[in-house]
Amino acid sequence: MVLTQGYVLLIAALFFLACFLSNDLLTRFGIPTLLLFIGVGMLMGEDGIGGLVFDNYTVTNYIGAIALNYILFAGGMETRWDSVRPVVVSGVVLATLGVVMTAVIVGLFASLSPLLSFQGALLLGAIVSSTDAASVFSILRSQKIVLKDNLQPLLELESGSNDPMAYMLTITLISMMTANKVDAVEFFGLLGKQLALGGLCGYGMGHLMSFIMARIRLTAEGLYPVLLMGLAVFSHTLTDIVDGNGFLASYVAGLVLGNSRFQYKYTVVRFYDGLSALMQVVLFVMLGLLVTPRELVAIAPWGFAISAFLMFVARPLSIFAIMPFFKRNAKQNAFISAVGFRGAASITFALYPLTAGIPGARTIFNIVFFVAFTSVLFQSPFLPWLAKKLKLGKHENPYYTLKSFNEYVHEMNDFLAEFDITKGSRAAGKAVMDLHLPQGSLIIVINRDGHYASPTGTTIVEPGDKLLVSVPMSEDFTSVCDRLEGKCEV
C-alpha cells in the first residue's frame, strides 16, 4: 500500500491519540508522555513508516524559538513571586554561574570523544547546560513532589531563568567558530546587556500586559488568551530588536503578569498551561523527525556516556561547588543535582549550529537527542523515591498541595461569579439576609472602594459594591442574577 498524505496524517493522529490516552499509565511510573512523542516523530520520519523527510532547519529553528518563548512565558505565569523571593539570589547564581560551570565541565569531557572537535565539544556543553523549565514544572507537579526548605521554588526559578545564559554561550561559541571572534570583554559586555535589557523589557512588558488585561473589554472570553499570545511574541521580538535576551523577557513578563490581578485569569492560566504542553509536544515530535535512527547507532556509546556524565558528574559538581555558599546541606544539594532535566531549550539551541553550518553540527544534534531523551527517561521516575529517601518531602502535611486556587475550580462543586451592584440594582440597600439567594449560594467577599470584607447577614449591600459569589453548580445561575441584578463576570 502506498502511504498517501491522508494515510500519513491518519497514522500520526492515531499515534498522538495513543500517547495522550497512555498519559495516566505513564504518569504512575513517572515517565513523561513527551518521550512517546519523540517516538512518534521517529516513526513518521524518513527511517520510519511515515517516510517523511524533514530537514528544513531554518523553519524548524523559528518554530523552536516560538515554542520556547511560550513555554517560558507560561512557566513565568505559574511561578509565585512570594515563594521565589527568598531564593532569588541562589537561583540567579545557579542560572548563570551554574550554567557556565556545567557547560565547561561537559565540554571538556566531550572533547575526549573522537566525534567532536574541541570547539564543537564546548558548543555541545553550552547547548545542554541549562535545565528545562517545562520538564521541571510538569514532572514535579505530575509526581506530586512537595519539597521542604524552599527547594521547589529554587528549582523552578533556576529552570525558568537559566536559558538566557545557555543561549548566550551557544551564540558566542557559534560566532567564534564562524570566524567572528569574540573576546572576553566583548562577551561579558554583551552578556550584561542581554540580561539587563531582557529583564527590564520583560518587567515593563509584564506590567503593560497586566494593565491591558485589567482594562480592555473584548467581545468573547476566549479572545483574552489570544491577545496575550500576540503580546508575548511582541515582548520577545521587541527585546531582541534592542539587543536584549528575548527568552528572559518572556519569562519575566509571565512572572509579572502571573502575579497580577486581571479579568479571566483562570481562563488565561489554563490556556497557557495547555499551550505550553502543546509546544513541548511540537518540539519533541520535531526532535524525533530530525534525528535519523541509523545515524544514532554510530554515536550511541558516546551519546550515552556524555548524558551519564552530565547527570552524575557535571551537574552535581556545579551544584556542590555553588550551593554550600547558600547554606544548603548535602542532602538538598544531592536532590538539586538530580533535577537536571534537559528538553525544550536544548532541542531549540541544538538547531542553531545546523542553521549556521557549523562542522559537526549533525553530530552535536544527535548527541543532544541522547541527552534530552535519557535525562527525562531515567531521572524523572527516580525523583519521588529520592525525595523520600533524603526526607525532603512534606509528607507530614496531607493538605499541602502544589495547586494554586484557580486549579481547584474543576474539582469544586461551585463556580465563582463577580457582581457589580449598580444604583438601580434590586440588591442595593438590602441586607445580605434579605437577598434570599438560592440555597448553597454564598457571598464570599465584598469589595467596597478597594476595601475587602467578609459580609455577615446584616451587612448592607450598597451601590458600587463588587460581590464575589459562590454558586452551586446544581443551581440555575439566572436565579442568582435575578436576585442581584448586577453586571456579572463568571
Side-chain angles (χ1 to χ4, degrees), residues 187-243:
F187 169 74
F188 285 109
L190 185 60
L191 174 63
K193 182 180 180 181
Q194 283 256 321
L195 296 180
L197 289 177
L200 288 173
C201 289
Y203 183 79
M205 282 302 303
H207 281 288
L208 178 61
M209 291 177 188
S210 178
F211 178 83
I212 292 173
M213 293 295 291
R215 287 163 178 78
I216 196 170
R217 294 293 183 267
L218 300 177
T219 56
E221 180 179 347
L223 292 177
Y224 288 88
V226 180
L227 170 63
L228 270 181
M229 289 183 70
L231 289 172
V233 172
F234 176 76
S235 173
H236 179 97
T237 307
L238 178 64
T239 307
D240 278 344
I241 290 174
V242 299
D243 293 331

Side-chain angles (χ1 to χ4, degrees), residues 1 22 46 53-54 185 187 208 300 410:
M1 181 182 68
S22 63
E46 59 180 296
V53 179
F54 185 71
V185 175
F187 169 74
L208 178 61
H410 286 311

Side-chain angles (χ1 to χ4, degrees), residues 1-81:
M1 181 182 68
V2 178
L3 286 177
T4 63
Q5 182 182 24
Y7 280 115
V8 171
L9 292 176
L10 176 62
I11 293 171
L14 290 174
F15 274 119
F16 271 67
L17 182 61
C19 289
F20 280 112
L21 291 178
S22 63
N23 180 67
D24 288 341
L25 177 62
L26 291 174
T27 300
R28 294 177 189 177
F29 297 97
I31 302 174
T33 313
L34 292 174
L35 295 180
L36 285 182
F37 288 105
I38 292 182
V40 170
M42 295 175 70
L43 285 171
M44 303 315 300
E46 59 180 296
D47 280 359
I49 60 176
L52 298 177
V53 179
F54 185 71
D55 57 2
N56 191 326
Y57 300 126
T58 302
V59 172
T60 306
N61 195 9
Y62 282 125
I63 295 173
I66 292 171
L68 185 57
N69 173 66
Y70 284 128
I71 288 171
L72 291 172
F73 183 71
M77 281 204 297
E78 293 182 8
T79 302
R80 291 188 301 138
W81 175 245

Side-chain angles (χ1 to χ4, degrees), residues 430-467:
K430 289 187 176 180
V432 170
M433 69 176 67
D434 296 327
L435 296 177
H436 301 297
L437 296 178
Q439 185 175 4
S441 298
L442 177 68
I443 299 177
I444 299 175
V445 69
I446 294 180
N447 176 2
R448 181 171 296 165
D449 298 325
H451 299 285
Y452 296 85
S454 297
T456 64
T458 58
T459 301
I460 304 298
V461 177
E462 298 179 1
D465 285 352
K466 294 180 183 293
L467 276 56

Side-chain angles (χ1 to χ4, degrees), residues 5 44 49 68-70 94 98 105 110 120 130 161-162 169 180 184 192 207 232 249 254 321 394 412 428:
Q5 182 182 24
M44 303 315 300
I49 60 176
L68 185 57
N69 173 66
Y70 284 128
L94 279 182
I105 296 171
S130 65
S161 59
N162 62 8
L169 292 175
N180 298 322
H207 281 288
K394 288 190 174 183
M412 297 169 64

